[in-house]
Amino acid sequence: MLVLAAQYLTYAEAVDLYNQLREAEIAALVKTCGPPSLPFGEGLYYQLLMEEEDAPDAHQIVAAFELRRAAPALHRCSRCGSLHTTLVHQLAWWKRLYYAGTTLYSCQQCGKEFAG
């Protein structure tokens, strides 16, 4: 019987976890789920299913994957590559308009501002 290993994954996350399980020689199935996307009707999210007898072997792989997935993303400066970046709180009106829908970060080493 198939059991749920992970759900509400993006396509890239589902493929990454599938490949990790495949390297450990654990068979898995990636299936679409969630609300349909237009115009094709495929699900927006993916879930990973596996055989019930493989679940104990896959537990460590799935747990490590979930920890990485839940960890906050590190934003690297596109100019100098530094990880010392901060969120920009005070934006000029034209930057709020230009960067609408994104988050703006500033590098503490070189001063470059970039969308994250």
Side-chain angles (χ1 to χ4, degrees), residues 11-86:
Y11 179 75
E13 291 171 340
V15 169
D16 182 33
L17 183 55
Y18 173 80
N19 287 331
Q20 288 179 26
L21 291 172
R22 191 168 179 187
E23 287 174 6
E25 297 180 357
I26 298 171
L29 172 72
V30 176
K31 181 182 169 200
T32 62
C33 68
S37 63
L38 296 176
F40 303 111
E42 294 269 329
L44 287 177
Y45 301 108
Y46 295 84
Q47 56 182 310
L48 207 89
L49 304 168
M50 72 176 88
E51 288 292 334
E52 191 171 3
E53 54 268 5
D54 291 336
D57 298 333
H59 178 71
Q60 288 182 348
I61 297 170
V62 173
F65 175 80
E66 290 294 336
L67 279 176
R68 275 185 310 199
R69 187 174 170 215
L74 298 175
H75 298 283
R76 186 177 296 274
C77 177
S78 57
R79 181 184 295 161
C80 67
S82 172
L83 289 173
H84 299 289
T85 58
T86 58

